[in-house]
Amino acid sequence: MATRTSEPRGVNSPSIHPWMNFALATSGIYLAAGRRIGWKRGWIWNSPCRVRVKKAAVDIVQGLTGSEDGLLSLGHHWKITFGSLSCLLGESKEVSEPAAEALVNLSQKTELSAKMVSIGMIQIAMEMLYRKNLVITRLLVMLLVNLTQLDAGVSSLLQVEDEKMRGLYVMKLVRSFCTSSYETREDLFEHVGSILVNISKSEAGRKIILDPKRGLLKQIVRQFDSTSVLRKKGVSGTIRNCCFEAENQLQNFLLISEFLWPALLLPVAGKKLYGEQDTSKMPLELASALSIEREAVDDPEIRIETLEAIYLISVQEAGRRALWSVNGPRILQVGYEDEENPKVMEAYERVGSLLIEEGGIDESSGPTLK
């Protein structure tokens, strides 16, 4: 299985002087009421200066997350820190943004990420994510990426304990991933692709994505047309992971072949223009794309993942027939001739060995779950 994506891991934070006292930071956020200087709990909430106090406190904490020592200090007081920061996510931008950035940075640490999951941070993030006029959407998605690095985080996002709600969060994220207008403004949901890679590492996650009644796989595959490399990586990694279910779910893959084969074969088709002799044996969606100049997929990781997905499909006899039916071996041959990266070439060769042998197939030589 593809290694879970590690991006985004953190948000750059300003450093602060090492003498800054941790208590100064967290107590100011926790109460936002000046307890650290002796004020009573309710006084500051009715004061015009409460926003300034909150911002000053949260800025200190956000600054602390920019250093190892700061993360360690905050980790010692994680209950107060996480609870206080999560309460500020619904505030104005000047307060909610540094609070969200602090949570993203804190979630870099596996032990702190696990504690966040244990107190329901995924549920908090998902509930906040769809509030109107939210200004921290991108940061919350980044937080979810980090939290789903963990098995417990994946289970929480999948809602595996609640049969009626299972998969609802995933459906919401996929819908946002596929409908956000990423070509014209900041792509708030592009990191959802990384979340999908993370959850598709688990069998439960793959089951939800591949459920034909939900139709999620088709929606995800179509996002490979995006110009965003991060989106392409998310899609290729998710398809690759889901292809470990090809033995039992091959029919579901082939039902969306008009979208699946372009997503898998175009990145590894090389740079040349294909002639009519080749394209006449291809479906229109491949023939049209390969007959014109096109932008190459430069990221070798994407090429490797698509080749591994092709391998996993081709292990199945029906999968090999489907690949031959779209003239896939010819595309792979041309792509291999253009390839210069040794690791990508190895991935081509693994697929090629299947197509040549046709008889006894050694599945142990293929990609493995990681």
Side-chain angles (χ1 to χ4, degrees), residues 62-78:
Q62 194 254 8
L64 280 167
T65 65
S67 70
E68 286 296 319
D69 288 343
L71 289 170
L72 183 63
S73 296
L74 290 164
H76 288 321
H77 303 269
W78 61 272

Side-chain angles (χ1 to χ4, degrees), residues 153-165:
V154 170
S155 296
S156 179
L157 187 67
L158 296 178
Q159 300 164 286
V160 294
E161 301 298 329
D162 189 336
E163 188 174 347
K164 292 183 178 179
M165 301 295 289

Side-chain angles (χ1 to χ4, degrees), residues 85-121:
L85 289 171
S86 63
C87 286
L88 297 179
L89 295 176
E91 297 281 339
S92 60
K93 180 180 179 179
E94 60 183 339
V95 174
S96 63
E97 192 168 76
E101 289 176 351
L103 286 170
V104 172
N105 289 343
L106 286 160
S107 65
Q108 295 177 70
K109 294 290 186 182
T110 302
E111 61 275 17
L112 296 182
S113 184
K115 288 180 170 64
M116 285 188 189
V117 173
S118 72
I119 64 168
M121 190 63 73

Side-chain angles (χ1 to χ4, degrees), residues 123-170:
Q123 290 88 340
I124 293 170
M126 286 300 301
E127 288 172 9
M128 289 294 307
L129 196 56
Y130 294 99
R131 288 192 180 182
K132 291 184 178 180
N133 304 316
L134 190 69
V135 295
I136 55 170
T137 299
R138 185 179 177 85
L139 289 167
L140 289 179
V141 175
M142 292 170 71
L143 176 62
L144 290 170
V145 173
N146 287 349
L147 296 180
T148 53
Q149 303 274 339
L150 305 174
D151 291 340
V154 170
S155 296
S156 179
L157 187 67
L158 296 178
Q159 300 164 286
V160 294
E161 301 298 329
D162 189 336
E163 188 174 347
K164 292 183 178 179
M165 301 295 289
R166 190 176 302 158
L168 180 61
Y169 286 163
V170 177

Side-chain angles (χ1 to χ4, degrees), residues 8 14 31 49 66 70 112 158 182 216 219 227 230 246 249 267 270-271 324 331 347 359:
L31 298 180
C49 70
L112 296 182
L158 296 178
Y182 54 84
L216 299 181
Q219 297 178 57
T227 57
L230 187 57
Q249 297 270 4
K271 302 174 184 177
W324 280 101
I331 294 173

Side-chain angles (χ1 to χ4, degrees), residues 266-281:
L266 292 180
V268 294
K271 302 174 184 177
K272 67 167 286 185
L273 301 183
Y274 287 63
E276 185 177 351
Q277 183 177 355
D278 291 327
T279 58
S280 63
K281 303 171 185 176

